[in-house]
Amino acid sequence: MYGAGDVRVETVPDPILNQPTDAIVRIVRACVCGSDLHPFHDMPAGAVGTPMGHEFLGVVEEVGSEVRTLAPGDFVIAPFAWSDGTCDFCREGLQTSCRHGGFWAGNGIGGGQAEAIRVPQADGTLVKIPAGVDAALYPSLLTLSDVYGTGYHAAVRGRVTARTTVTVIGDGAVGLMAVLSARQLGAERIILMGRHTSRTDLGREFGATDVVAARGEEGIALVRELTGGDGTHVVLEAVGHLPAYEQAVGVVRAGGVISRVGVPQYEQAPVGFGSLFGPNVTLTGGPAPVRAYIDRLLPGVLDGSVQPGKVFDRTVSLSETPEGYRLMDSREALKVLIAP
Amino acid sequence: MYGAGDVRVETVPDPILNQPTDAIVRIVRACVCGSDLHPFHDMPAGAVGTPMGHEFLGVVEEVGSEVRTLAPGDFVIAPFAWSDGTCDFCREGLQTSCRHGGFWAGNGIGGGQAEAIRVPQADGTLVKIPAGVDAALYPSLLTLSDVYGTGYHAAVRGRVTARTTVTVIGDGAVGLMAVLSARQLGAERIILMGRHTSRTDLGREFGATDVVAARGEEGIALVRELTGGDGTHVVLEAVGHLPAYEQAVGVVRAGGVISRVGVPQYEQAPVGFGSLFGPNVTLTGGPAPVRAYIDRLLPGVLDGSVQPGKVFDRTVSLSETPEGYRLMDSREALKVLIAP
């Protein structure tokens, strides 16, 4: 990406092993993330491009001398953050704060929207998938790179159980994964706030019991009406813009939790007596340590009992990636798969 | 209180039973709260005074026809919020959001800095103390009205355990009670941020292992230094001003919790990627449902194993209450007891 709206497909040098803990992975599937749209909207134009993409499945081509758990030919999922898997944060399940970790597409590490990539801390980062998996499962497996684990993180941090009512704000891929995750954690009442019928229909399929298309004060009033005036115990905020935060404050029940996984496009927000403090509302969330959830979520994907891959409604080739951005930005596509 | 700095002791009509669920209580001990200092600083002057005080011990004088658990002569503790004890919020332990509850000193309910008071929802609100308790225990019992339960709420909401390191911001009575509570919940490392040696000394007695007198960036750097650069798992914020919030953000470990019980004197604060979101920090807290904690904390007070009453370092008579405000405001007193 060279700036807002300017995505180019270019030939760059092949990645090579740099550290003994690296692996080189040939990418089999990648995709465009809702968060890729933020720089697509506001990145200043520059002479040097930034590699893009942080979600991919691939086949290991080569491993460094210290890589122990992987070998060429292994089929792997990559989480959207790389991590050593051994530090205290990783052991606590907060791989996004790994002491030797980082994020794709920066600091000399490439992006996933590519043919191949160098993976740092390969043992800690990559998760092996059983050989011979049906290609029909690739889209669902790919959601474990980010959106499924991110939705699940929202629900886990929100402490969703069978006893909690839930509102999900946002009908993008992460919002829909938050619905699916809340259902998996037992929630029986899940209100999805979103305006795109095709998406909210998929949300119903994933477990939403109610859909509220209105936003702002009107949307808040409707959720309150659906919940006897109280709001829901948990709100999963999967948008990242300030109005979505304000909506979350408006629909959360006293004593409840707002769990954010939409990357905030604001720094300041209301947290005082009138918003969070007075009603003892908890604000939680952050970048999901999806690596922590893959082991738990993979079996359901492999046996087909959950089909998070339904969020992909378009597939493009690597050379068509710029068109993939356009399709997502214009809301013509919910989430775009890239098959290099 | 008639306005900032203007506290008067006046003769008003005796409280009378108004609802069948009311009780009339003769006040035995009351006190001035740190939160009473907020209106003492900025309340607009007016022709009509506002009753003050929300912490008291007393003796039941009279009960309404529907009061079942109390009788004249009972010695009781009043939490700083009154509540029915039966609604869903009360059953969940969030009495501050009771559907039929409220706060003292407003809406026709008097304040605790008085000779007597009408207590609404007496069955749900008041907690009976065994008859014949030694008067030496009154100060400690009185802390169960607010500051002890508030410090405990901070620690509970912060999920303090033996495995968590803790920073407490503020060396007022609530901050010191947060130290005591964190210790009771098992914390072995408790860093107290406060500038008043006499108070931080008491904090050490309550369980603080380290004291940091510096504030702002310097204070943050010192706490980071004490924790290998990481900050602490839990931060208990017992001040309520924005710089204390910013300090909390500065000293919390990634994945940790900031638990606020200082009433926020701000509405907007940083919550974006650079403060809470990026490091997956949780923000929690609010007005403490102290009623929920009295049963748990009372035994330790009665058997003398904890002595939260040490936060009282001055006693005044009811007529000296204005002087009590002055003493606390000027920091000459940590917390002022009122013996009517």
Side-chain angles (χ1 to χ4, degrees), chain A residues 81-126:
Chain A
W82 41 273
S83 54
D84 65 18
T86 56
C87 77
D88 50 348
F89 284 114
C90 284
R91 289 194 312 269
E92 291 166 23
L94 195 66
Q95 285 86 344
T96 43
S97 293
C98 171
R99 294 192 187 276
H100 306 101
F103 298 87
W104 307 107
N107 303 313
I109 310 294
Q113 294 161 8
E115 292 175 322
I117 192 166
R118 174 169 77 88
V119 176
Q121 303 290 352
D123 279 330
T125 304
L126 297 171

mmCIF file of all heavy atoms in Angstrom, chain A residues 81-126:
data_model
loop_
_atom_site.group_PDB
_atom_site.id
_atom_site.type_symbol
_atom_site.label_atom_id
_atom_site.label_comp_id
_atom_site.label_asym_id
_atom_site.label_seq_id
_atom_site.Cartn_x
_atom_site.Cartn_y
_atom_site.Cartn_z
ATOM 1 N N ALA A 81 -0.456 -12.074 15.059
ATOM 2 C CA ALA A 81 0.743 -11.579 15.751
ATOM 3 C C ALA A 81 1.693 -12.762 15.887
ATOM 4 O O ALA A 81 1.255 -13.889 16.107
ATOM 5 C CB ALA A 81 0.382 -11.037 17.122
ATOM 6 N N TRP A 82 2.987 -12.532 15.739
ATOM 7 C CA TRP A 82 3.924 -13.624 15.955
ATOM 8 C C TRP A 82 4.490 -13.518 17.363
ATOM 9 O O TRP A 82 4.561 -12.438 17.962
ATOM 10 C CB TRP A 82 5.022 -13.678 14.888
ATOM 11 C CG TRP A 82 5.600 -12.372 14.461
ATOM 12 C CD1 TRP A 82 5.136 -11.545 13.490
ATOM 13 C CD2 TRP A 82 6.776 -11.749 14.996
ATOM 14 N NE1 TRP A 82 5.932 -10.441 13.368
ATOM 15 C CE2 TRP A 82 6.954 -10.542 14.276
ATOM 16 C CE3 TRP A 82 7.681 -12.087 15.990
ATOM 17 C CZ2 TRP A 82 8.002 -9.667 14.546
ATOM 18 C CZ3 TRP A 82 8.737 -11.225 16.256
ATOM 19 C CH2 TRP A 82 8.887 -10.025 15.541
ATOM 20 N N SER A 83 4.845 -14.660 17.940
ATOM 21 C CA SER A 83 5.178 -14.695 19.367
ATOM 22 C C SER A 83 6.057 -15.910 19.659
ATOM 23 O O SER A 83 5.982 -16.920 18.952
ATOM 24 C CB SER A 83 3.885 -14.792 20.186
ATOM 25 O OG SER A 83 3.098 -15.887 19.756
ATOM 26 N N ASP A 84 6.862 -15.806 20.712
ATOM 27 C CA ASP A 84 7.828 -16.890 20.969
ATOM 28 C C ASP A 84 7.198 -18.123 21.626
ATOM 29 O O ASP A 84 7.776 -19.214 21.617
ATOM 30 C CB ASP A 84 9.040 -16.371 21.766
ATOM 31 C CG ASP A 84 8.687 -15.893 23.171
ATOM 32 O OD1 ASP A 84 7.599 -16.255 23.692
ATOM 33 O OD2 ASP A 84 9.498 -15.169 23.768
ATOM 34 N N GLY A 85 6.031 -17.931 22.246
ATOM 35 C CA GLY A 85 5.351 -19.078 22.852
ATOM 36 C C GLY A 85 5.940 -19.519 24.177
ATOM 37 O O GLY A 85 5.441 -20.465 24.798
ATOM 38 N N THR A 86 6.979 -18.836 24.646
ATOM 39 C CA THR A 86 7.641 -19.292 25.878
ATOM 40 C C THR A 86 7.714 -18.223 26.960
ATOM 41 O O THR A 86 7.915 -18.549 28.128
ATOM 42 C CB THR A 86 9.080 -19.745 25.575
ATOM 43 O OG1 THR A 86 9.778 -18.655 24.949
ATOM 44 C CG2 THR A 86 9.097 -20.948 24.641
ATOM 45 N N CYS A 87 7.558 -16.956 26.631
ATOM 46 C CA CYS A 87 7.712 -15.905 27.648
ATOM 47 C C CYS A 87 6.510 -15.912 28.591
ATOM 48 O O CYS A 87 5.528 -16.617 28.366
ATOM 49 C CB CYS A 87 7.863 -14.534 26.987
ATOM 50 S SG CYS A 87 6.325 -13.826 26.372
ATOM 51 N N ASP A 88 6.586 -15.105 29.642
ATOM 52 C CA ASP A 88 5.497 -15.095 30.616
ATOM 53 C C ASP A 88 4.170 -14.658 29.989
ATOM 54 O O ASP A 88 3.121 -15.230 30.275
ATOM 55 C CB ASP A 88 5.856 -14.250 31.850
ATOM 56 C CG ASP A 88 6.379 -12.859 31.513
ATOM 57 O OD1 ASP A 88 6.682 -12.598 30.334
ATOM 58 O OD2 ASP A 88 6.492 -12.045 32.453
ATOM 59 N N PHE A 89 4.209 -13.655 29.123
ATOM 60 C CA PHE A 89 2.951 -13.215 28.506
ATOM 61 C C PHE A 89 2.344 -14.333 27.649
ATOM 62 O O PHE A 89 1.135 -14.560 27.681
ATOM 63 C CB PHE A 89 3.168 -11.944 27.665
ATOM 64 C CG PHE A 89 3.305 -10.698 28.499
ATOM 65 C CD1 PHE A 89 4.497 -9.992 28.550
ATOM 66 C CD2 PHE A 89 2.229 -10.225 29.241
ATOM 67 C CE1 PHE A 89 4.616 -8.837 29.325
ATOM 68 C CE2 PHE A 89 2.333 -9.073 30.015
ATOM 69 C CZ PHE A 89 3.546 -8.376 30.058
ATOM 70 N N CYS A 90 3.186 -15.023 26.883
ATOM 71 C CA CYS A 90 2.661 -16.120 26.054
ATOM 72 C C CYS A 90 2.068 -17.216 26.938
ATOM 73 O O CYS A 90 1.004 -17.763 26.638
ATOM 74 C CB CYS A 90 3.768 -16.697 25.178
ATOM 75 S SG CYS A 90 4.168 -15.644 23.756
ATOM 76 N N ARG A 91 2.757 -17.534 28.016
ATOM 77 C CA ARG A 91 2.243 -18.591 28.897
ATOM 78 C C ARG A 91 0.923 -18.179 29.540
ATOM 79 O O ARG A 91 0.092 -19.023 29.862
ATOM 80 C CB ARG A 91 3.282 -18.947 29.968
ATOM 81 C CG ARG A 91 4.499 -19.694 29.394
ATOM 82 C CD ARG A 91 5.345 -20.344 30.491
ATOM 83 N NE ARG A 91 5.635 -19.441 31.598
ATOM 84 C CZ ARG A 91 6.707 -18.647 31.686
ATOM 85 N NH1 ARG A 91 7.613 -18.645 30.729
ATOM 86 N NH2 ARG A 91 6.879 -17.871 32.740
ATOM 87 N N GLU A 92 0.741 -16.867 29.716
ATOM 88 C CA GLU A 92 -0.525 -16.362 30.275
ATOM 89 C C GLU A 92 -1.608 -16.253 29.208
ATOM 90 O O GLU A 92 -2.730 -15.853 29.506
ATOM 91 C CB GLU A 92 -0.305 -14.970 30.879
ATOM 92 C CG GLU A 92 0.551 -14.969 32.131
ATOM 93 C CD GLU A 92 1.026 -13.558 32.509
ATOM 94 O OE1 GLU A 92 0.380 -12.573 32.101
ATOM 95 O OE2 GLU A 92 2.058 -13.459 33.197
ATOM 96 N N GLY A 93 -1.245 -16.549 27.949
ATOM 97 C CA GLY A 93 -2.246 -16.446 26.886
ATOM 98 C C GLY A 93 -2.398 -15.041 26.339
ATOM 99 O O GLY A 93 -3.436 -14.707 25.775
ATOM 100 N N LEU A 94 -1.390 -14.188 26.519
ATOM 101 C CA LEU A 94 -1.449 -12.839 25.965
ATOM 102 C C LEU A 94 -0.307 -12.671 24.959
ATOM 103 O O LEU A 94 0.577 -11.826 25.098
ATOM 104 C CB LEU A 94 -1.367 -11.790 27.085
ATOM 105 C CG LEU A 94 -1.774 -10.370 26.663
ATOM 106 C CD1 LEU A 94 -3.264 -10.301 26.305
ATOM 107 C CD2 LEU A 94 -1.456 -9.352 27.738
ATOM 108 N N GLN A 95 -0.387 -13.497 23.902
ATOM 109 C CA GLN A 95 0.695 -13.528 22.904
ATOM 110 C C GLN A 95 0.867 -12.197 22.171
ATOM 111 O O GLN A 95 1.934 -11.944 21.618
ATOM 112 C CB GLN A 95 0.435 -14.647 21.883
ATOM 113 C CG GLN A 95 0.706 -16.046 22.402
ATOM 114 C CD GLN A 95 -0.468 -16.673 23.142
ATOM 115 O OE1 GLN A 95 -1.411 -15.980 23.535
ATOM 116 N NE2 GLN A 95 -0.434 -17.972 23.330
ATOM 117 N N THR A 96 -0.175 -11.368 22.175
ATOM 118 C CA THR A 96 -0.042 -10.048 21.532
ATOM 119 C C THR A 96 0.915 -9.137 22.304
ATOM 120 O O THR A 96 1.317 -8.100 21.792
ATOM 121 C CB THR A 96 -1.415 -9.359 21.411
ATOM 122 O OG1 THR A 96 -2.125 -9.546 22.642
ATOM 123 C CG2 THR A 96 -2.218 -9.955 20.271
ATOM 124 N N SER A 97 1.243 -9.509 23.547
ATOM 125 C CA SER A 97 2.226 -8.746 24.313
ATOM 126 C C SER A 97 3.518 -9.536 24.489
ATOM 127 O O SER A 97 4.325 -9.229 25.375
ATOM 128 C CB SER A 97 1.650 -8.371 25.692
ATOM 129 O OG SER A 97 0.587 -7.452 25.554
ATOM 130 N N CYS A 98 3.747 -10.542 23.652
ATOM 131 C CA CYS A 98 4.957 -11.379 23.742
ATOM 132 C C CYS A 98 6.223 -10.521 23.817
ATOM 133 O O CYS A 98 6.351 -9.523 23.115
ATOM 134 C CB CYS A 98 5.038 -12.286 22.516
ATOM 135 S SG CYS A 98 6.618 -13.169 22.392
ATOM 136 N N ARG A 99 7.146 -10.956 24.676
ATOM 137 C CA ARG A 99 8.382 -10.174 24.862
ATOM 138 C C ARG A 99 9.285 -10.222 23.633
ATOM 139 O O ARG A 99 10.193 -9.395 23.497
ATOM 140 C CB ARG A 99 9.131 -10.682 26.089
ATOM 141 C CG ARG A 99 8.351 -10.413 27.363
ATOM 142 C CD ARG A 99 9.170 -10.641 28.615
ATOM 143 N NE ARG A 99 8.320 -10.531 29.800
ATOM 144 C CZ ARG A 99 8.006 -9.374 30.413
ATOM 145 N NH1 ARG A 99 8.490 -8.237 29.948
ATOM 146 N NH2 ARG A 99 7.227 -9.370 31.467
ATOM 147 N N HIS A 100 9.101 -11.207 22.771
ATOM 148 C CA HIS A 100 9.916 -11.272 21.551
ATOM 149 C C HIS A 100 9.029 -11.379 20.322
ATOM 150 O O HIS A 100 9.404 -11.990 19.334
ATOM 151 C CB HIS A 100 10.867 -12.470 21.617
ATOM 152 C CG HIS A 100 11.696 -12.477 22.860
ATOM 153 N ND1 HIS A 100 11.410 -13.274 23.954
ATOM 154 C CD2 HIS A 100 12.770 -11.728 23.216
ATOM 155 C CE1 HIS A 100 12.280 -13.026 24.919
ATOM 156 N NE2 HIS A 100 13.116 -12.106 24.499
ATOM 157 N N GLY A 101 7.845 -10.829 20.422
ATOM 158 C CA GLY A 101 6.882 -10.952 19.337
ATOM 159 C C GLY A 101 6.683 -9.660 18.578
ATOM 160 O O GLY A 101 7.377 -8.670 18.819
ATOM 161 N N GLY A 102 5.730 -9.680 17.688
ATOM 162 C CA GLY A 102 5.435 -8.484 16.913
ATOM 163 C C GLY A 102 4.329 -8.755 15.918
ATOM 164 O O GLY A 102 3.668 -9.791 15.975
ATOM 165 N N PHE A 103 4.148 -7.811 15.031
ATOM 166 C CA PHE A 103 3.049 -7.893 14.069
ATOM 167 C C PHE A 103 3.601 -7.916 12.649
ATOM 168 O O PHE A 103 4.673 -7.387 12.382
ATOM 169 C CB PHE A 103 2.101 -6.703 14.284
ATOM 170 C CG PHE A 103 1.474 -6.715 15.654
ATOM 171 C CD1 PHE A 103 2.115 -6.124 16.743
ATOM 172 C CD2 PHE A 103 0.257 -7.355 15.871
ATOM 173 C CE1 PHE A 103 1.546 -6.159 18.017
ATOM 174 C CE2 PHE A 103 -0.323 -7.397 17.138
ATOM 175 C CZ PHE A 103 0.329 -6.798 18.209
ATOM 176 N N TRP A 104 2.847 -8.563 11.781
ATOM 177 C CA TRP A 104 3.256 -8.654 10.381
ATOM 178 C C TRP A 104 3.286 -7.288 9.737
ATOM 179 O O TRP A 104 2.695 -6.339 10.232
ATOM 180 C CB TRP A 104 2.268 -9.538 9.600
ATOM 181 C CG TRP A 104 2.057 -10.873 10.220
ATOM 182 C CD1 TRP A 104 0.942 -11.287 10.881
ATOM 183 C CD2 TRP A 104 2.990 -11.958 10.277
ATOM 184 N NE1 TRP A 104 1.125 -12.565 11.344
ATOM 185 C CE2 TRP A 104 2.370 -13.009 10.989
ATOM 186 C CE3 TRP A 104 4.282 -12.141 9.802
ATOM 187 C CZ2 TRP A 104 2.996 -14.226 11.239
ATOM 188 C CZ3 TRP A 104 4.918 -13.348 10.042
ATOM 189 C CH2 TRP A 104 4.273 -14.377 10.755
ATOM 190 N N ALA A 105 3.960 -7.248 8.603
ATOM 191 C CA ALA A 105 3.897 -6.072 7.739
ATOM 192 C C ALA A 105 4.536 -4.847 8.385
ATOM 193 O O ALA A 105 3.985 -3.752 8.363
ATOM 194 C CB ALA A 105 2.438 -5.793 7.339
ATOM 195 N N GLY A 106 5.676 -5.049 8.977
ATOM 196 C CA GLY A 106 6.407 -3.919 9.549
ATOM 197 C C GLY A 106 7.733 -4.393 10.106
ATOM 198 O O GLY A 106 7.926 -5.603 10.313
ATOM 199 N N ASN A 107 8.641 -3.480 10.340
ATOM 200 C CA ASN A 107 9.943 -3.825 10.932
ATOM 201 C C ASN A 107 10.650 -4.963 10.190
ATOM 202 O O ASN A 107 11.211 -5.860 10.798
ATOM 203 C CB ASN A 107 9.776 -4.200 12.408
ATOM 204 C CG ASN A 107 9.112 -3.090 13.193
ATOM 205 O OD1 ASN A 107 9.495 -1.929 13.067
ATOM 206 N ND2 ASN A 107 8.089 -3.425 13.974
ATOM 207 N N GLY A 108 10.580 -4.926 8.891
ATOM 208 C CA GLY A 108 11.321 -5.919 8.105
ATOM 209 C C GLY A 108 10.608 -7.248 7.929
ATOM 210 O O GLY A 108 11.146 -8.181 7.335
ATOM 211 N N ILE A 109 9.396 -7.342 8.444
ATOM 212 C CA ILE A 109 8.606 -8.566 8.263
ATOM 213 C C ILE A 109 7.543 -8.265 7.206
ATOM 214 O O ILE A 109 6.895 -7.220 7.262
ATOM 215 C CB ILE A 109 7.900 -8.976 9.581
ATOM 216 C CG1 ILE A 109 8.887 -8.991 10.747
ATOM 217 C CG2 ILE A 109 7.198 -10.323 9.408
ATOM 218 C CD1 ILE A 109 9.963 -10.034 10.648
ATOM 219 N N GLY A 110 7.367 -9.176 6.288
ATOM 220 C CA GLY A 110 6.423 -8.932 5.201
ATOM 221 C C GLY A 110 4.978 -9.087 5.623
ATOM 222 O O GLY A 110 4.664 -9.326 6.799
ATOM 223 N N GLY A 111 4.086 -8.955 4.639
ATOM 224 C CA GLY A 111 2.663 -9.118 4.895
ATOM 225 C C GLY A 111 2.155 -10.422 4.317
ATOM 226 O O GLY A 111 2.845 -11.093 3.536
ATOM 227 N N GLY A 112 0.970 -10.779 4.695
ATOM 228 C CA GLY A 112 0.389 -12.050 4.259
ATOM 229 C C GLY A 112 -0.240 -11.994 2.880
ATOM 230 O O GLY A 112 -0.523 -13.035 2.291
ATOM 231 N N GLN A 113 -0.477 -10.790 2.388
ATOM 232 C CA GLN A 113 -1.034 -10.659 1.025
ATOM 233 C C GLN A 113 0.141 -10.752 0.057
ATOM 234 O O GLN A 113 0.611 -9.753 -0.500
ATOM 235 C CB GLN A 113 -1.819 -9.354 0.896
ATOM 236 C CG GLN A 113 -3.070 -9.357 1.780
ATOM 237 C CD GLN A 113 -3.633 -7.972 2.063
ATOM 238 O OE1 GLN A 113 -3.200 -6.984 1.486
ATOM 239 N NE2 GLN A 113 -4.605 -7.895 2.974
ATOM 240 N N ALA A 114 0.653 -11.990 -0.086
ATOM 241 C CA ALA A 114 1.898 -12.227 -0.827
ATOM 242 C C ALA A 114 1.975 -13.703 -1.184
ATOM 243 O O ALA A 114 1.133 -14.502 -0.782
ATOM 244 C CB ALA A 114 3.092 -11.836 0.054
ATOM 245 N N GLU A 115 3.017 -14.057 -1.959
ATOM 246 C CA GLU A 115 3.207 -15.468 -2.318
ATOM 247 C C GLU A 115 3.929 -16.239 -1.230
ATOM 248 O O GLU A 115 3.730 -17.448 -1.070
ATOM 249 C CB GLU A 115 4.017 -15.559 -3.619
ATOM 250 C CG GLU A 115 3.264 -15.042 -4.834
ATOM 251 C CD GLU A 115 4.127 -15.036 -6.080
ATOM 252 O OE1 GLU A 115 5.338 -14.722 -5.991
ATOM 253 O OE2 GLU A 115 3.598 -15.349 -7.154
ATOM 254 N N ALA A 116 4.816 -15.529 -0.516
ATOM 255 C CA ALA A 116 5.598 -16.197 0.526
ATOM 256 C C ALA A 116 5.968 -15.178 1.587
ATOM 257 O O ALA A 116 5.885 -13.960 1.362
ATOM 258 C CB ALA A 116 6.855 -16.821 -0.072
ATOM 259 N N ILE A 117 6.380 -15.674 2.761
ATOM 260 C CA ILE A 117 6.639 -14.772 3.882
ATOM 261 C C ILE A 117 7.659 -15.399 4.832
ATOM 262 O O ILE A 117 7.734 -16.626 4.957
ATOM 263 C CB ILE A 117 5.309 -14.454 4.623
ATOM 264 C CG1 ILE A 117 5.470 -13.304 5.606
ATOM 265 C CG2 ILE A 117 4.760 -15.699 5.317
ATOM 266 C CD1 ILE A 117 4.123 -12.734 6.090
ATOM 267 N N ARG A 118 8.438 -14.546 5.459
ATOM 268 C CA ARG A 118 9.318 -15.011 6.534
ATOM 269 C C ARG A 118 8.554 -14.922 7.845
ATOM 270 O O ARG A 118 8.014 -13.859 8.172
ATOM 271 C CB ARG A 118 10.572 -14.139 6.616
ATOM 272 C CG ARG A 118 11.461 -14.493 7.811
ATOM 273 C CD ARG A 118 12.811 -13.813 7.722
ATOM 274 N NE ARG A 118 12.798 -12.406 8.072
ATOM 275 C CZ ARG A 118 12.958 -11.926 9.311
ATOM 276 N NH1 ARG A 118 13.143 -12.759 10.340
ATOM 277 N NH2 ARG A 118 12.937 -10.629 9.542
ATOM 278 N N VAL A 119 8.510 -16.027 8.589
ATOM 279 C CA VAL A 119 7.786 -16.074 9.860
ATOM 280 C C VAL A 119 8.797 -16.111 11.003
ATOM 281 O O VAL A 119 9.523 -17.089 11.171
ATOM 282 C CB VAL A 119 6.899 -17.340 9.945
ATOM 283 C CG1 VAL A 119 6.228 -17.438 11.305
ATOM 284 C CG2 VAL A 119 5.865 -17.343 8.824
ATOM 285 N N PRO A 120 8.854 -15.058 11.811
ATOM 286 C CA PRO A 120 9.747 -15.083 12.974
ATOM 287 C C PRO A 120 9.142 -15.972 14.064
ATOM 288 O O PRO A 120 7.936 -16.204 14.088
ATOM 289 C CB PRO A 120 9.790 -13.631 13.435
ATOM 290 C CG PRO A 120 9.040 -12.836 12.412
ATOM 291 C CD PRO A 120 8.139 -13.786 11.707
ATOM 292 N N GLN A 121 10.005 -16.440 14.958
ATOM 293 C CA GLN A 121 9.546 -17.254 16.100
ATOM 294 C C GLN A 121 8.578 -18.342 15.628
ATOM 295 O O GLN A 121 7.467 -18.504 16.160
ATOM 296 C CB GLN A 121 8.850 -16.369 17.153
ATOM 297 C CG GLN A 121 9.715 -15.232 17.662
ATOM 298 C CD GLN A 121 10.877 -15.703 18.538
ATOM 299 O OE1 GLN A 121 10.976 -16.893 18.900
ATOM 300 N NE2 GLN A 121 11.780 -14.791 18.874
ATOM 301 N N ALA A 122 9.015 -19.079 14.627
ATOM 302 C CA ALA A 122 8.100 -20.012 13.951
ATOM 303 C C ALA A 122 7.496 -21.039 14.899
ATOM 304 O O ALA A 122 6.305 -21.344 14.820
ATOM 305 C CB ALA A 122 8.833 -20.717 12.807
ATOM 306 N N ASP A 123 8.290 -21.572 15.828
ATOM 307 C CA ASP A 123 7.746 -22.574 16.757
ATOM 308 C C ASP A 123 6.598 -22.010 17.588
ATOM 309 O O ASP A 123 5.599 -22.691 17.814
ATOM 310 C CB ASP A 123 8.845 -23.057 17.719
ATOM 311 C CG ASP A 123 9.741 -24.126 17.099
ATOM 312 O OD1 ASP A 123 9.245 -24.880 16.231
ATOM 313 O OD2 ASP A 123 10.928 -24.197 17.484
ATOM 314 N N GLY A 124 6.766 -20.778 18.051
ATOM 315 C CA GLY A 124 5.726 -20.186 18.895
ATOM 316 C C GLY A 124 4.527 -19.717 18.102
ATOM 317 O O GLY A 124 3.399 -19.708 18.605
ATOM 318 N N THR A 125 4.779 -19.339 16.863
ATOM 319 C CA THR A 125 3.754 -18.640 16.090
ATOM 320 C C THR A 125 2.818 -19.569 15.324
ATOM 321 O O THR A 125 1.597 -19.444 15.404
ATOM 322 C CB THR A 125 4.441 -17.689 15.072
ATOM 323 O OG1 THR A 125 5.310 -16.808 15.807
ATOM 324 C CG2 THR A 125 3.429 -16.904 14.275
ATOM 325 N N LEU A 126 3.414 -20.483 14.575
ATOM 326 C CA LEU A 126 2.610 -21.264 13.627
ATOM 327 C C LEU A 126 1.924 -22.463 14.278
ATOM 328 O O LEU A 126 2.470 -23.080 15.197
ATOM 329 C CB LEU A 126 3.504 -21.743 12.484
ATOM 330 C CG LEU A 126 4.125 -20.609 11.643
ATOM 331 C CD1 LEU A 126 5.159 -21.170 10.672
ATOM 332 C CD2 LEU A 126 3.043 -19.827 10.901
#
